[in-house]
């Protein structure tokens, strides 16, 4: 019961943050220079048509009226209509989102499998050559920008060696291998370093010495005792990375021409499609807030001390 109460408090606490973020995004997109109506109408633009379309879209109303109308629409699933595609924004997001989910899922597998493996081996082989190699590898992943990693992978493995497709999703799973590595390497570095540091701390505990005294080897002590407790903060970071992987795929999808939410945002920016850009940004914001909320709830469920404090 206390767990449900803690989760409920966190959900209620996230609602004001969500409304505030939506308001900021709404206002920022309306103070940008340019006129979306002019961009949409192209060669048919004139003062009469601009005034007519502005009135039809409700853009002649005060900003607070527009925001209230938009907010009510959001709670019913209405994000407006794209000025470029002339389709509901929610339908476009539903069409493009599965590609982003697949990319984020593959990137998460890369990040978590590689990160946990490197972190555990580095902790067990502390200050040895393999530890330095893995930590250097993780530091490189954290430091190098995603777009640089993506272009290097694309040049060597797609353009030169031709092991993977250069762009698009025509070859199914193979089309996601390089984008997933490019997107997941950064997160893998963070997971590896955190796994190593927490595991080294846990391995200094008395119960680990007791396990070894009872005949457990180093591998058994790590896998069956230390790793379980060391994974609590790591799992929290992993849950938070889900939202960041979903929302941070803009550059990766652009470089590899994947039809996801990132490409949708780029198209909205280039076409001055305010409703589509607004809906895409708010949707990715929801993912980030939702990921952080899941991480908080998961942390509270795994650690009774956090649940008691809440």
């Amino acid at each position: 019961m206390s767990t449900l109460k803690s989760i409920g408090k966190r959900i209620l606490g996230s609602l004001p943050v969500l409304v505030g973020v939506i308001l900021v995004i709404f206002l920022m997109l309306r103070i940008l220079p340019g006129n979306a109506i002019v961009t949409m109408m192209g060669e048919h633009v004139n003062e009469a048509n601009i005034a007519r379309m502005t009135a039809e879209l409700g853009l002649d109303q005060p900003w607070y009226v527009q925001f209230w109308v938009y907010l009510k629409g959001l709670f019913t699933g209405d994000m407006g209509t794209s000025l470029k595609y002339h389709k509901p924004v929610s339908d476009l997001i539903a069409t493009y989102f599965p590609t982003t989910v697949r990319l984020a899922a593959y990137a998460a597998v890369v990040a978590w499998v590689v990160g946990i493996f490197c972190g555990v081996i580095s902790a067990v082989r502390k200050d040895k050559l393999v530890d330095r190699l893995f930590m250097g590898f993780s530091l490189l992943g954290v430091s190098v920008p995603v777009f640089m990693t993506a272009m290097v992978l694309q040049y060597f493995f797609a353009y030169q060696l031709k092991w993977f497709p250069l762009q698009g999703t025509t070859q199914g799973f193979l089309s996601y291998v390089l984008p997933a590595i490019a997107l997941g390497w950064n997160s893998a570095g963070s997971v590896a370093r955190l796994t190593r540091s927490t595991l080294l701390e846990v391995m200094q505990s008395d119960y680990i010495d007791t396990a070894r005294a009872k005949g457990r080897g180093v591998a058994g002590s790590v896998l069956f005792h230390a790793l379980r407790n060391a994974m609590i903060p790591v799992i929290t970071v992993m849950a938070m990375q889900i939202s960041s992987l979903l929302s941070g795929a803009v550059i990766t999808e652009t470089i590899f021409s994947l039809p996801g939410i990132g490409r949708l945002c780029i198209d909205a920016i280039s076409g001055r499609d305010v409703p589509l850009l607004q809906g895409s940004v708010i949707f990715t914001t929801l993912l980030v807030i939702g990921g952080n909320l899941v991480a908080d709830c998961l942390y509270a469920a795994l650690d009774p001390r956090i649940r008691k404090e809440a």
Side-chain angles (χ1 to χ4, degrees):
M1 189 66 183
S2 58
T3 302
L4 294 178
K5 183 179 179 180
S6 174
I7 293 174
K9 289 175 63 176
R10 283 171 166 80
I11 292 175
L12 291 177
S14 65
L15 290 179
V17 177
L18 177 60
V19 175
V21 169
I22 294 174
L23 176 60
V24 170
I25 294 172
F26 184 88
L27 294 177
M28 288 180 62
L29 291 179
R30 273 153 181 75
I31 63 176
L32 292 176
N35 191 320
I37 303 298
V38 174
T39 304
M40 178 184 68
M41 301 191 67
E43 61 182 10
H44 302 291
V45 63
N46 57 58
E47 293 297 331
N49 287 335
I50 292 176
R52 178 177 57 82
M53 288 299 300
T54 300
E56 288 182 2
L57 296 175
L59 300 179
D60 56 339
Q61 300 291 328
W63 69 267
Y64 51 85
V65 176
Q66 296 181 44
F67 177 71
W68 176 246
V69 172
Y70 185 74
L71 197 61
K72 288 193 300 183
L74 280 180
F75 284 103
T76 60
D78 182 13
M79 291 183 163
T81 302
S82 169
L83 302 179
K84 179 179 179 180
Y85 296 101
H86 305 289
K87 294 181 180 179
V89 172
S90 56
D91 290 350
L92 291 171
I93 291 176
T95 301
Y96 282 77
F97 187 53
T99 299
T100 301
V101 171
R102 282 191 289 270
L103 174 59
Y106 296 146
V109 172
V110 171
W112 299 344
V113 172
V114 174
I116 293 175
F117 175 79
C118 291
V120 171
I121 298 300
S122 295
V124 173
R125 306 293 295 174
K126 180 185 177 184
D127 296 331
K128 299 297 191 297
L129 178 61
V130 67
D131 177 28
R132 300 183 187 278
L133 288 176
F134 281 168
M135 286 302 99
F137 174 80
S138 64
L139 181 61
L140 190 64
V142 173
S143 305
V144 177
V146 174
F147 73 88
M148 181 62 68
T149 304
M151 289 190 293
V152 170
L153 292 174
Q154 191 179 50
Y155 177 76
F156 282 106
F157 294 100
Y159 181 73
Q160 291 288 347
L161 299 176
K162 303 187 187 307
W163 290 353
F164 301 98
L166 192 64
Q167 291 181 328
T169 59
T170 55
Q171 296 190 31
F173 173 75
L174 289 178
S175 302
Y176 291 92
V177 173
L178 295 183
I181 295 174
L183 185 59
W185 189 11
N186 181 276
S187 299
S190 301
V191 171
R193 297 177 72 84
L194 181 60
T195 302
R196 179 184 183 274
S197 62
T198 55
L199 192 55
L200 286 175
E201 182 180 352
V202 171
M203 287 173 66
Q204 303 300 318
S205 302
D206 293 337
Y207 68 88
I208 299 298
D209 295 334
T210 303
R212 290 178 179 176
K214 291 181 176 180
R216 286 282 192 183
V218 175
S221 300
V222 170
L223 294 178
F224 296 102
H225 298 281
L227 188 60
R228 181 188 306 174
N229 292 328
M231 285 300 292
I232 292 178
V234 177
I235 289 175
T236 304
V237 171
M238 290 164 58
M240 295 175 64
Q241 284 180 346
I242 295 176
S243 59
S244 64
L245 290 173
L246 287 170
S247 61
V250 176
I251 297 175
T252 308
E253 290 177 355
T254 302
I255 293 175
F256 289 96
S257 295
L258 300 178
I261 296 294
R263 284 296 305 276
L264 196 64
C265 289
I266 297 299
D267 291 344
I269 293 172
S270 61
R272 197 62 174 80
D273 192 341
V274 174
L276 180 57
L277 180 59
Q278 186 171 262
S280 302
V281 173
I282 290 175
F283 182 73
T284 53
T285 302
L286 282 170
L287 295 177
V288 173
I289 294 177
N292 292 336
L293 181 62
V294 170
D296 287 342
C297 295
L298 187 60
Y299 206 174
L302 291 174
D303 194 336
R305 294 170 299 177
I306 302 297
R307 183 167 62 246
K308 186 176 181 180
E309 291 175 2

